[in-house]
Amino acid sequence: MTNLDATTMVLVLALGNLALCALLTFFDHGPVRQGFGQSALSAWGLSKQVQAGAWTLLALGGAGIVPEALALPGGYALLFAGVAIEGGASWQEAGHDGWRRPTLLAGGLAILVFLLCYLVDEQGLRSLAASLLLGALYLNGAAALAAGWRQASLLQRFLALVTAVLALLVAARGLSVLLLPGGWRWLSSELLRQFSSAALYLLMLANAFGVLLLGRERAGRELARLEVVDPLTDVPNRRGFFNALAPWMALARRPGLPTALVVLDLDQFKRVNDGYGHPAGDAVLRHVVELCKRQLRDSDLVGRLVGVEFAILLPRTQLDEAVLVAERIRAAIASSPVKSERAMIAMTASFGVTVIRPEDSTVTLFQRADDALRAAKQAGRNRVSQAVAAAADT
């Protein structure tokens, strides 16, 4: 590869990273940004800006515009810093914030080692250090992508493998200088250098489009989750609860223990929003959900149907047992006021309890539970009322 070819490749890498910075500007202002953590995305954008500056400086040095004594050490120092920041952003997005600082420290150490090698030998040792250190930093990014391999999507696994292979190819250039300076058979030193340059270009593309595609994928998963989960309380919403209820409706047609349904409604909740504000009302709703979870088994399920009305599914629970569970939750709510900025907010709730019958549809099931809830309200609130039991309920 001639010096002109090398300069052209470096210039392509510089322009490519600059284009990614521009692309990130639009990506960061669209709805897809929710698929990639905002702080991690900002760090990733910074890494691309630093790498663009690094390749630009190296290209200017190769063209003779900037003195080589300044362009080479300065360009590689920026490059190591950019790739280290990129790896830190990947660890942060993977949920391992503790790895971000060691990654940045590794980038600083790589800069120091490279500068020492550059001072000792501007050619051979410098090329060896640059390839090995870059390969190691890119492998760190591949490890971040591979974190949580079992739960990772096929796209994330593919990107982790591609990044690892390309990183090893970059490092192989340095290993060849150390172990096989004259090449090996058809794999000459010049050919391996071309492979290494191509690997750097592909790493830029794979990382950039990988982040965008992973962001789109995660945003899609989050949208799908929000279709069945209430964002305020993080429990199933009406659709999610009905989806979970469906198989238990089918099982009710078979012999065995019944499944109970509890419907609860917070008493006079409007006074909370009117008197203390909606943030206090939201805190009350989250508090009630936590109280419910503490009284339930792992197999039980609480969901938010609408407003301040919740439903609790109690698999394999008879009517009298379900009444006891509802009573425990009622007592917990009544005895656990919620602390707000302005006051302690006391709340009570009314409950309607029934069990799923073989002939039930969701309409008849909830109609019966709502009738029992209405009876509890009419009896003075802060009560548990059970639906009229059929012969099979007892």
Side-chain angles (χ1 to χ4, degrees):
M1 183 182 291
T2 66
N3 188 57
L4 181 60
D5 292 335
T7 302
T8 302
M9 175 59 73
V10 172
L11 184 60
V12 167
L13 288 168
L15 293 175
N17 279 279
L18 287 172
L20 292 175
C21 293
L23 181 62
L24 180 64
T25 301
F26 297 100
F27 177 79
D28 193 26
H29 287 81
V32 182
R33 66 182 181 275
Q34 297 177 353
F36 199 84
Q38 195 64 27
S39 58
L41 184 61
S42 299
W44 183 81
L46 175 62
S47 77
K48 290 303 169 186
Q49 295 172 18
V50 175
Q51 290 179 60
W55 290 117
T56 301
L57 186 56
L58 290 172
L60 294 176
I65 300 175
V66 176
E68 189 175 89
L70 174 62
L72 277 177
Y76 276 106
L78 285 175
L79 184 58
F80 294 141
V83 177
I85 294 172
E86 181 181 303
S90 297
W91 280 114
Q92 185 176 355
E93 177 59 20
H96 299 274
D97 290 345
W99 281 92
R100 184 179 181 182
R101 179 172 293 180
T103 295
L104 298 180
L105 291 175
L109 182 61
I111 294 173
L112 179 61
V113 171
F114 175 81
L115 292 178
L116 291 175
C117 293
Y118 180 80
L119 292 175
V120 173
D121 183 0
E122 294 184 9
Q123 295 297 326
L125 191 57
R126 183 258 297 173
S127 299
L128 170 65
S131 298
L132 291 179
L133 292 172
L134 270 180
L137 290 174
Y138 276 119
L139 275 176
N140 175 66
L145 285 170
W149 180 267
R150 292 184 178 180
Q151 293 77 32
S153 65
L154 289 177
L155 173 62
Q156 186 173 339
R157 294 181 182 183
F158 173 76
L159 289 172
L161 290 174
V162 167
T163 302
V165 170
L166 293 175
L168 290 174
L169 192 54
V170 171
R173 167 61 182 157
L175 291 174
S176 70
V177 173
L178 180 65
L179 303 176
L180 301 169
W184 182 71
R185 295 187 180 181
W186 59 270
L187 188 61
S188 65
S189 178
E190 179 63 27
L191 182 59
L192 191 56
R193 184 168 66 173
Q194 294 180 17
F195 283 160
S196 179
S197 298
L200 287 171
Y201 181 74
L202 292 175
L203 277 168
M204 178 188 68
L205 293 179
N207 180 268
F209 288 105
V211 166
L212 299 180
L213 291 173
L214 284 175
R216 174 69 68 178
E217 182 180 72
R218 291 168 184 171
R221 287 203 301 265
E222 180 63 15
L223 288 174
R225 190 185 78 88
L226 291 177
E227 289 182 356
V228 294
V229 174
D230 175 54
L232 175 62
T233 57
D234 199 33
V235 297
N237 59 18
R238 187 178 186 87
R239 175 183 292 185
F241 189 84
F242 273 65
N243 289 345
L245 176 64
W248 294 103
M249 296 287 292
L251 286 174
R253 298 178 176 86
R254 303 179 183 179
L257 289 176
T259 292
L261 175 71
V262 178
V263 176
L264 70 96
D265 186 88
L266 297 181
D267 298 327
Q268 299 178 326
F269 183 79
K270 188 175 183 297
R271 66 177 176 83
V272 177
N273 284 334
D274 293 344
Y276 303 99
H278 288 282
D282 293 344
V284 168
L285 294 178
R286 288 191 292 266
H287 180 68
V288 167
V289 168
E290 287 303 313
L291 290 177
C292 289
K293 289 180 177 179
R294 293 175 193 173
Q295 303 296 329
L296 299 177
R297 305 165 298 184
D298 291 340
S299 58
D300 301 333
L301 180 69
V302 56
R304 184 183 181 189
L305 298 182
V306 61
V308 295
E309 184 174 336
F310 295 85
I312 301 173
L313 182 66
L314 302 173
R316 299 183 175 87
T317 304
Q318 298 184 19
L319 183 61
D320 56 346
E321 296 171 336
V323 170
L324 291 176
V325 173
E327 183 60 39
R328 289 202 307 267
I329 296 174
R330 184 206 63 76
I333 294 174
S335 62
S336 303
V338 180
K339 183 178 181 180
S340 70
E341 295 181 356
R342 298 170 57 185
M344 296 292 289
I345 305 174
M347 288 299 306
T348 61
S350 300
F351 295 75
V353 184
T354 187
V355 294
I356 305 175
R357 299 172 183 172
E359 70 277 6
D360 265 333
S361 66
T362 55
V363 174
T364 60
L365 173 65
F366 275 91
Q367 181 62 56
R368 193 165 60 252
D370 287 338
D371 289 343
L373 174 62
R374 191 176 303 110
K377 293 278 189 181
Q378 293 172 352
R381 301 187 179 91
N382 191 24
R383 298 172 183 272
V384 175
S385 176
Q386 66 183 59
V388 177
D393 296 347
T394 57

